[in-house]
Amino acid sequence: MSKPSPEVYEEGKGMDAHNSVMRDIRSRNDSTYDPREPTRVWLDEDNTPDGVYQSLTIILNTGGCRWARAGGCTMCGYVAESVEGGSVAHEDLMAQIQHCLDHEAENSDETSGLIKIYTSGSFLDEREVPAETRRAIAETFADRERIVVESLPDFVDEETVGDFVDVGLETDVAVGLETATDRVRHDCVNKYFDFADFEEASEAAQAAGAGVKAYLLMKPPFLSEAEAVEDMKRSVRRCGAVDGCHTVSMNPCNVQRYTMVEELYHDGGYRPPWLWSVADVLESTADEDVIVVSDPVGHGSDRGPHNCGECDDKLQRAIKDFDLRQDPSVFEQVSCECEATWDAVIERERGYSLPLAR
């Protein structure tokens, strides 16, 4: 992509314009949510530096992402599911944790070795999750083996991360980096920080005794399919070179409600990534010295990453298999006529003709 002129970052343009549009889109949401119930909770399996664990994934319902209040990321609809009022009390957040523990007990014969905790923004932001709650959650899961907490780089420091390390948990800080390319992160995702901030957060996590997991976004708006694929390959390799970053999770973009991506999607200006693109990135970066995984949410639907509809489930299973075994040969077992269409899209699609195929 060409470099922008300084004028695009003037007031009313660039990020400021994105924020204005996002605020307008989010204002259409009139849903309300119970502060004593989490946004989501589920059981799964995850690959870690210490092997595969059963995982309990928790998305806490907080007062919402600080950045989203200014406008926020072009693809993120999680803030639309946040509790009104800007904050959730300690007692209510702990009630959400208990709800998740009850879900685990009802749906599994064993406790999960890995706990993953997210919010609509940053778990380590004390406006969303007070220090009292953070420490109580650390104590609650002190008998588990590993924990992942998600945060923007701003809130990663030795003290906050140390709350989990100090109770004996192998701790990973997950950062929503989205891409290693600053211009794509700023202009396509509308995220304000730079790759250098991710590197600093990684240093802080390491100093606390924690590891780092980078979350990348496959195909934000305004990129062609080929640009998105190449950006992900570069980003995986660049993240893998950062000390302490042992895992990269590549999230294919899906169309969430009350987002700029949804507006573009309805106007014919956005198609979620092809699953062939996901497989291509995973296969091409399998030899990097970093665990690379992907979980295509909503796969096979128009609003999620998809191919033709005939091969989506097969390729999704291959991606899940790759996540656990890191063996790129799994993709040799899936074939479909639509791969030729994907090849044509990669070759011919340009930014001014998005999307070339639905």
Side-chain angles (χ1 to χ4, degrees):
M1 299 178 71
S2 60
K3 292 185 177 180
S5 64
E7 288 76 21
V8 303
Y9 296 113
E10 292 177 0
E11 183 176 356
K13 301 178 182 179
M15 192 167 284
D16 189 63
H18 274 342
N19 280 335
S20 177
V21 171
M22 289 300 300
R23 287 194 299 271
D24 177 65
I25 292 170
R26 295 194 198 287
S27 70
R28 303 168 197 169
N29 177 33
D30 57 2
S31 301
T32 58
Y33 296 90
D34 187 343
R36 296 180 65 82
E37 292 190 4
T39 300
R40 290 185 187 83
V41 56
W42 69 90
L43 292 163
D44 204 346
E45 285 186 311
D46 280 81
N47 200 347
T48 78
D50 295 328
V52 176
Y53 285 100
Q54 176 179 295
S55 59
L56 175 65
T57 301
I58 298 168
I59 303 181
L60 290 176
N61 203 340
T62 66
C65 174
R66 189 187 304 208
W67 177 234
R69 292 177 204 152
C73 300
T74 55
M75 77 298 176
C76 182
Y78 291 124
V79 70
E81 300 176 289
S82 298
V83 173
E84 291 183 5
S87 64
V88 177
H90 167 74
E91 294 76 13
D92 290 338
L93 288 168
M94 294 311 295
Q96 293 184 39
I97 293 294
Q98 186 57 54
H99 178 102
C100 296
L101 291 171
D102 293 342
H103 174 86
E104 180 186 44
E106 292 167 6
N107 293 277
S108 176
D109 294 331
E110 59 184 30
T111 58
S112 303
L114 172 64
I115 305 298
K116 298 160 61 182
I117 304 183
Y118 308 92
T119 70
S120 66
S122 294
F123 178 80
L124 299 181
D125 181 357
E126 292 184 3
R127 287 192 187 181
E128 284 195 70
V129 180
E132 174 190 13
T133 310
R134 183 179 69 241
R135 296 182 187 117
I137 290 173
E139 291 292 340
T140 298
F141 294 113
D143 62 337
R144 309 302 176 99
E145 296 179 58
R146 195 174 198 102
I147 195 164
V148 176
V149 293
E150 186 181 33
S151 178
L152 288 169
D154 315 38
F155 312 109
V156 180
D157 59 47
E158 289 187 52
E159 180 182 355
T160 55
V161 177
D163 287 339
F164 298 94
V165 176
D166 292 346
V167 298
L169 282 164
E170 288 292 330
T171 303
D172 294 319
V173 177
V175 178
L177 176 65
E178 316 306 355
T179 170
T181 308
D182 286 343
R183 190 188 172 194
V184 173
R185 188 182 318 100
H186 296 162
D187 295 351
C188 298
V189 182
N190 197 44
K191 219 161 203 175
Y192 56 86
F193 64 85
D194 294 333
F195 188 78
D197 298 310
F198 168 73
E199 293 177 307
E200 289 181 13
S202 298
E203 290 179 8
Q206 275 194 291
V212 175
K213 184 176 184 180
Y215 279 98
L216 300 180
L217 179 71
M218 157 72 84
K219 200 180 180 185
F222 314 120
L223 294 186
S224 69
E225 196 80 17
E227 288 173 330
V229 168
E230 290 309 309
D231 181 61
M232 284 295 95
K233 291 177 181 178
R234 286 194 304 268
S235 296
V236 169
R237 294 181 177 117
R238 196 170 176 192
C239 288
V242 173
D243 287 344
C245 182
H246 56 66
T247 301
V248 174
S249 179
M250 180 181 65
N251 298 319
C253 190
N254 58 73
V255 181
Q256 299 180 9
R257 297 185 67 195
Y258 305 111
T259 63
M260 187 183 292
V261 165
E262 186 182 50
E263 296 283 295
L264 292 167
Y265 167 77
H266 285 311
D267 290 342
Y270 182 79
R271 182 204 192 276
W274 289 70
L275 289 170
W276 291 122
S277 295
V278 177
D280 183 27
V281 174
L282 295 176
E283 193 170 13
S284 298
T285 59
D287 59 349
E288 297 297 315
D289 188 22
V290 64
I291 298 170
V292 186
V293 298
S294 184
D295 182 16
V297 175
H299 82 277
S301 67
D302 286 346
R303 295 173 71 102
H306 62 277
N307 289 343
C308 66
E310 295 296 322
C311 62
D312 297 56
D313 287 345
K314 292 179 182 177
L315 196 47
Q316 172 79 352
R317 286 194 294 271
I319 291 168
K320 182 64 175 177
D321 193 5
F322 176 87
D323 288 352
L324 299 178
R325 297 197 292 123
Q326 298 289 286
D327 180 2
S329 68
V330 298
F331 299 118
E332 298 172 6
Q333 302 169 30
V334 184
S335 63
C336 184
E337 292 180 355
C338 76
E339 191 169 3
T341 305
W342 172 75
D343 282 334
V345 168
I346 290 292
E347 180 182 353
R348 301 176 186 177
E349 188 177 76
R350 298 292 181 268
Y352 58 80
S353 62
L354 292 175
L356 186 61
R358 299 293 285 181

